[in-house]
Amino acid sequence: MDIKQLLTMITLSQTLNYQKAAEQLQYAPSTLFKHIQMLEQEVGAPLFGKTGRQLRLTPQGKAFLVHAKRMVEEYYLALDSVCAEEKLEGTITVGGCEINTAYSLLSLFEGFSRSHAEVRLNMMTSHNAGVPALIRGDMLDVGFFYTTRAGAVSGLRVVPLYREPVYIMVSWDHPLAQKKGLKYEALEGMQFMYPHDTCCFVSEFLPMLAKMGVHLGKTTFLGGVQLVVEQVRKEGAMTLAPHCAAQHYHDAYGLVRLDMDEDPIWAWENIVYKNYETLKPAARALARSSAVYADELVKKDASGWIARPNGTA
């Protein structure tokens, strides 16, 4: 077995769909079939089966997956060891939406900069949905972006870091700010403001309210967080913030989250790059620091809201 076969098995276990796995890995589906077939021959047991038309891991596949992830992890560690004694330096370009680069992941970037003082992080802010295209166009070494569902992106390596809720936030003196156990119908007629209409939070939130028959007031997209929060306070409007950005919104702008007795929108924080093997040493270090950061974040989260995906490599 080789690393490509193991990565195929891991990716297919996440997508449970040959076409989606092929798009993510940039292989032909026939190549994936061959990889899995060769692995099964070597392991001596079927790794995948079907229930009806749905692909699933077999019990043997679930057992082998644990070891496959460990072997891939060891492979990445071996790659890192080549430059472990070298002093990391140079510039890497890191991108994401403003909520990520300035709020949600601020602690990650600050900690990485302290640990690797000779590495310069060139931060590029983009709307969330545009991050994968910037990676494909070689404008970013590493990107961070949100999705409301874990999934593959064609031709790129996407690693979910953690899942978190998305809150509805208003100014501290808003009439609903002190109320408990609110239902979505309490938002009837409220103005909604956000930086970009392409954000996955918006694409989930607005149609959900419309389906419930909740009619909002004016919806405005203002391009930047600073503009949004100023108008939220001035107009008595609401906005959205993921869990890891909410405290910054509160501390910097005085926004508070509404106490909702409803299921929240859930968001995945993802790191994305072309290929781990070809990343610059400093970019590899950031990718690995991101996984460590996510683990520590879950341990420190007193609310219990943040969760790591099971067995993320």
Side-chain angles (χ1 to χ4, degrees), residues 235-283:
E235 302 292 338
M238 63 176 167
T239 191
L240 299 174
H243 178 89
C244 289
Q247 189 62 47
H248 291 288
Y249 275 44
H250 177 270
D251 295 344
Y253 306 116
L255 298 192
V256 297
R257 67 184 181 97
L258 293 184
D259 186 312
M260 303 296 298
D261 185 23
E262 300 273 14
D263 291 333
I265 294 170
W266 290 93
W268 286 101
E269 177 71 88
N270 307 279
I271 183 172
V272 57
Y273 42 84
K274 277 190 174 180
N275 187 296
Y276 189 85
E277 293 87 334
T278 59
L279 282 176
K280 298 174 185 177

Side-chain angles (χ1 to χ4, degrees), residues 277-296:
E277 293 87 334
T278 59
L279 282 176
K280 298 174 185 177
R284 283 188 196 170
L286 178 59
R288 294 191 61 78
S289 294
S290 299
V292 172
Y293 172 80
D295 285 332
E296 293 177 348

